[in-house]
Amino acid sequence: MKKVFFVFILIMLSTKITSVQAISTSATSAILMDLDGGRILYAEDIHNQRSVASISKVMTAIVSIENKNIEDKVTIGEEINTAYGSGIYIKSGEELTMKDLLYGLMLRSGNDAALAIAHHTAGSVEKFVVKMNEKAKEIGMTNSIFNNPSGLDQEKGNFSTAYDMALLMKYAYQNETFRTIMGTKQYKLTTNKNTYVWTNKNKLLNLYKYTTGGKTGFTEKARRTLITTASKDDLNLVVVTLNDGNDWQDHMDLFDYGFNTYDSYELLKEGTIQIYDEVYYEDYDLYIKDKFKYALTEEERKQIVLKFELEKARIIENDSIVGKVRIFLGDEEIGTRDIYVREKESEQKKSNFQKLIEWFKNLW
């Protein structure tokens, strides 16, 4: 099959003035990443593997959400009697939902909640840890290992990097249930044994108005770890700091730097696309399934190039891939999207009888 190439230079107008800031943190490792495009906007020793403490509960939460119904009723078992450290202080025989446990996990960093979640989701901590590491591999966290659902170092500990944890948040952030839970300031519930009011330990939810969520962490080995998200003007960012005694301020400074320096641009919209001078598929619609957003400075948006590559398919089937669009920032490829083909909407609405009549007409 012969390939045809189309290149379209995308130039967008903007009136925003970009400021350039020098910035640093008190962290051993730190990263600022665009949650949509995955672009790294600030990096400080981001591949240094360290204990990450309770921010590993982000993995616990998303694995549970993806594998169990959050409305499941859970009767707490004896497993929580081995919990120590931070907790929500639930008791054996207490009845909660998985949703309740997830709020206790993310807002109060409950290690007892982590054990209950692991047992209900996978049957045991050991089986749950397998799921955590499988998910890490799927996401692309190549420098991470999880040994427990809580992040406690006394149980071998969970080790990762600032970069890997940003990838994890980028993935988890796409889940609406997860976003709602981690961004909740306070949660109240009454069980068959107690009434609880849980306030989120993430102080940025009150300190920084653009904060949308996150997770705190601390152990003697890891020291202070923190992962937070913030959104402004359609730009969604994540910051991860490891071993940072000034983490609240560092996160606010990094977010300010990101919002003052970058804008979020939708370089590709989902849906039908028009490619200049393309005639092979003129009787069909070409379309993109997933939009592509990316953080860019004002100067960089002038350097974006979209390169369309199409194959001349001999047999054209609805919703099949017939090419791809490659997105470049200057000479650097920053992303790709598949191009799909389908009958034009007007053709799809025709009945099979109408199409048969047209076929016979074409024979004559």
Side-chain angles (χ1 to χ4, degrees):
M1 292 178 287
K2 183 179 178 181
K3 283 190 176 180
V4 264
F5 299 88
F6 303 85
V7 176
F8 172 59
I9 300 177
L10 180 67
I11 298 180
M12 292 162 288
L13 299 178
S14 173
T15 57
K16 179 174 179 179
I17 304 246
T18 300
S19 63
V20 178
Q21 295 176 248
I23 191 166
S24 63
T25 75
S26 301
T28 297
S29 302
I31 189 170
L32 170 66
M33 179 185 284
D34 164 26
L35 279 168
D36 294 306
R39 185 180 187 185
I40 299 171
L41 309 179
Y42 175 85
E44 184 177 347
D45 207 5
I46 61 174
H47 299 297
N48 176 17
Q49 189 187 61
R50 296 180 51 85
S51 171
V52 293
S54 284
I55 64 172
S56 55
K57 288 186 172 90
V58 172
M59 177 65 85
T60 302
I62 195 62
V63 167
S64 175
I65 290 169
E66 290 184 344
N67 284 275
K68 282 292 181 179
N69 187 332
I70 65 169
E71 301 299 335
D72 279 0
K73 301 291 184 181
V74 181
T75 301
I76 303 303
E78 298 296 325
E79 69 274 358
I80 54 98
N81 293 331
T82 63
Y84 58 93
S86 60
I88 55 174
Y89 309 110
I90 47 180
K91 309 294 184 194
S92 297
E94 195 162 1
E95 297 171 359
L96 301 87
T97 65
M98 277 292 285
K99 180 170 70 174
D100 296 332
L101 290 170
L102 286 164
Y103 275 101
L105 179 83
M106 292 299 293
L107 272 61
R108 299 306 300 168
S109 202
N111 294 332
D112 44 2
L115 290 176
I117 287 169
H119 276 261
H120 183 73
T121 301
S124 69
V125 168
E126 293 73 21
K127 290 179 180 178
F128 187 81
V129 166
V130 170
K131 289 184 178 294
M132 294 175 75
N133 286 300
E134 287 175 346
K135 180 57 66 175
K137 184 177 180 181
E138 175 190 327
I139 294 171
M141 300 171 68
T142 58
N143 201 18
S144 301
I145 181 69
F146 294 92
N147 288 298
N148 63 69
S150 64
L152 289 167
D153 288 322
Q154 291 87 339
E155 301 170 9
K156 294 185 179 179
N158 297 331
F159 296 88
S160 187
T161 67
Y163 174 73
D164 278 9
M165 292 305 296
L167 285 183
L168 172 59
M169 182 58 83
K170 181 178 183 295
Y171 174 85
Y173 190 81
Q174 307 308 311
N175 186 287
E176 184 178 356
T177 297
F178 175 83
R179 287 200 310 273
T180 298
I181 292 172
M182 75 163 180
T184 298
K185 292 183 178 181
Q186 190 177 84
Y187 186 74
K188 302 176 182 179
L189 76 150
T190 298
T191 72
N192 60 324
K193 288 181 178 285
N194 208 346
T195 294
Y196 300 93
V197 179
W198 295 327
T199 301
N200 202 318
K201 288 186 176 183
N202 180 8
K203 293 182 181 180
L204 282 195
L205 287 169
N206 295 312
L207 290 174
Y208 191 73
K209 66 179 179 179
Y210 303 116
T211 304
T212 54
K215 181 71 189 73
T216 60
F218 176 84
T219 64
E220 288 296 330
K221 183 175 183 178
R223 309 309 295 171
R224 292 178 66 89
T225 63
L226 183 64
I227 181 169
T228 61
T229 60
S231 298
K232 180 184 177 184
D233 297 333
D234 203 35
L235 180 60
N236 305 307
L237 303 176
V238 57
V239 171
V240 182
T241 51
L242 305 181
N243 186 27
D244 187 352
N246 194 33
D247 49 11
W248 303 120
Q249 188 61 52
D250 284 340
H251 280 236
M252 290 188 286
D253 289 345
L254 285 170
F255 283 134
D256 280 343
Y257 165 74
F259 292 137
N260 290 334
T261 309
Y262 296 90
D263 281 310
S264 179
Y265 291 96
E266 190 172 79
L267 304 181
L268 279 175
K269 297 180 181 293
E270 58 183 284
T272 304
I273 60 172
Q274 302 293 328
I275 303 176
Y276 175 73
D277 210 26
E278 197 290 307
V279 295
Y280 188 79
Y281 292 101
E282 62 181 347
D283 294 328
Y284 294 83
D285 282 333
L286 297 172
Y287 69 98
I288 304 290
K289 283 188 177 181
D290 300 308
K291 63 185 176 183
F292 184 83
K293 293 173 63 179
Y294 206 68
L296 298 165
T297 67
E298 183 182 359
E299 290 302 314
E300 287 173 336
R301 103 272 190 235
K302 302 172 185 177
Q303 303 171 36
I304 292 295
V305 175
L306 303 183
K307 184 175 183 180
F308 296 87
E309 301 178 357
L310 291 176
E311 295 182 348
K312 293 183 176 180
R314 293 177 182 175
I315 300 176
I316 302 176
E317 298 180 351
N318 263 353
D319 303 314
S320 60
I321 297 172
V322 294
K324 65 180 178 180
V325 53
R326 301 166 65 192
I327 305 105
F328 289 86
L329 173 56
D331 295 329
E332 178 190 1
E333 184 172 332
I334 59 175
T336 64
R337 287 292 185 267
D338 288 327
I339 299 175
Y340 295 81
V341 66
R342 64 188 170 202
E343 287 183 333
K344 288 186 178 294
E345 188 174 347
S346 58
E347 290 294 318
Q348 293 179 32
K349 290 180 179 179
K350 290 182 180 179
S351 67
N352 289 332
F353 181 70
Q354 288 175 304
K355 292 179 181 180
L356 184 61
I357 291 176
E358 290 181 5
W359 182 77
F360 275 112
K361 286 181 178 178
N362 290 333
L363 291 179
W364 300 98

